[in-house]
Amino acid sequence: DAEELLNDIRTIKDEQEIEILRANAEFTDRAVEYVCNNLKLGMTQKEIEQLLMDYGFQHQIPDFAFSPTCGLKTRNTDLAKEALTFSRDSVLVEGTAIAFDVGYVINGYCSDWGRTVYFGKAPELVKNGYKALQAGQQFMVASIVPHKTNNNELYDLVLKKVTELGYGSYLRFQDSGMLGHQIGIDCHEHPMINRDTDFILRPGMVFCSEPKMFFENECYMRVEDMILVTETGAVF
């Protein structure tokens, strides 16, 4: 019951904590790059996830922020009919989208990172949707003004840009405005990012923004970045 008493203390990270989180984010980038460079036709979702885990073990990473997910959705299959239906026995073939969600624990602090990559040639709908989702994320980060921007505004900043680019109808969680969470010694820390959580962003906050799209019968798309609020704005 007393855990929430520490929320405000943990919300603002000091310089040492920020450096640990930054190093962990960079390590996670390298881990996923390694996996993408070693994808092979016929691999199962479980085997791809094991590659992420093995990369961590090989680099003496003590733990994972959560079990890594590499959700496979192959065009026009049963699994592609629903956004969050996956099978670890799915097999990688041409026309498969892979939704990565991975986080490691280094020096007691978590990372959390997500992207969707395409095995084979992605259709224009998905390619342009990815560009729109990236643009929405970048617009949101560029719009942050410390001590002024509210946590509950962030989802709608992403939605605004995505809608301008013609992909608003694909963005998920428009009813709740759920976008992400703070991160630190826990993967999910206070405050959560949604329309109901009233919290002014301050320098030293580190949060994960993870807007998602779903293209039925085609692709579940996620873009997740760790973002630092600075004295002058925010940076990836």
Side-chain angles (χ1 to χ4, degrees):
D1 292 341
E3 185 173 0
E4 292 187 3
L5 296 175
L6 300 177
N7 280 346
D8 285 343
I9 296 173
R10 289 167 58 183
T11 296
I12 306 298
K13 272 62 179 180
D14 62 28
E15 285 301 319
Q16 182 179 7
E17 291 177 298
I18 289 168
E19 286 309 309
I20 293 172
L21 287 165
R22 181 178 285 113
N24 198 347
E26 291 170 354
F27 176 84
T28 308
D29 281 348
R30 294 194 297 272
V32 179
E33 184 177 19
Y34 166 80
V35 171
C36 287
N37 287 334
N38 286 277
L39 292 172
K40 293 181 176 60
L41 197 69
M43 293 180 77
T44 65
Q45 178 174 321
K46 182 178 180 181
E47 288 172 330
I48 300 171
E49 291 165 351
Q50 189 64 49
L51 272 182
L52 279 171
M53 297 180 73
D54 289 344
Y55 187 89
F57 295 140
Q58 291 162 10
H59 290 81
Q60 288 75 53
I61 300 302
D63 203 357
F64 299 88
F66 49 89
S67 298
T69 300
C70 304
L72 303 187
K73 288 206 181 296
T74 301
R75 181 185 303 133
N76 294 325
T77 60
D78 286 343
L79 290 177
K81 293 177 181 177
E82 307 239 350
L84 293 178
T85 303
F86 299 104
S87 169
R88 300 188 75 210
D89 296 322
S90 298
V91 175
L92 189 59
V93 297
E94 293 284 326
T96 298
I98 311 169
F100 284 95
D101 189 12
V102 56
Y104 297 94
V105 177
I106 300 177
N107 294 325
Y109 287 80
C110 298
S111 66
D112 192 0
W113 185 97
R115 284 293 187 282
T116 293
V117 303
Y118 213 90
F119 193 75
K121 186 175 171 131
E124 290 301 309
L125 176 71
V126 172
K127 286 170 64 175
N128 291 329
Y130 181 79
K131 291 177 183 177
L133 197 57
Q134 282 277 58
Q137 183 91 305
Q138 292 167 342
F139 175 74
M140 178 271 292
V141 170
S143 301
I144 290 174
V145 179
H147 303 295
K148 180 178 179 181
T149 303
N150 197 303
N151 178 78
N152 60 24
E153 300 173 57
L154 300 183
Y155 180 93
D156 288 310
L157 288 169
V158 175
L159 177 60
K160 176 182 178 181
K161 177 57 70 174
V162 168
T163 300
E164 284 178 4
L165 296 172
Y167 279 81
S169 62
Y170 296 97
L171 194 65
R172 304 191 73 228
F173 304 118
Q174 296 193 30
D175 53 345
S176 63
M178 184 173 69
L179 187 65
H181 52 88
Q182 307 299 305
I183 191 167
I185 59 175
D186 283 335
C187 187
H188 297 92
E189 292 191 345
H190 168 81
M192 298 298 286
I193 302 174
N194 53 52
R195 288 200 193 97
D196 293 331
T197 304
D198 180 8
F199 200 98
I200 299 296
L201 298 181
R202 292 178 285 168
M205 293 178 70
V206 180
F207 68 94
C208 293
S209 175
E210 45 183 314
K212 305 172 183 74
M213 287 181 175
F214 178 56
F215 300 87
E216 189 175 359
N217 294 319
E218 184 68 58
C219 175
Y220 174 74
M221 186 182 293
R222 62 184 298 118
V223 165
E224 181 171 15
D225 293 294
M226 294 171 63
I227 295 158
L228 168 68
V229 182
T230 69
E231 293 290 344
T232 57
V235 293
F236 289 97

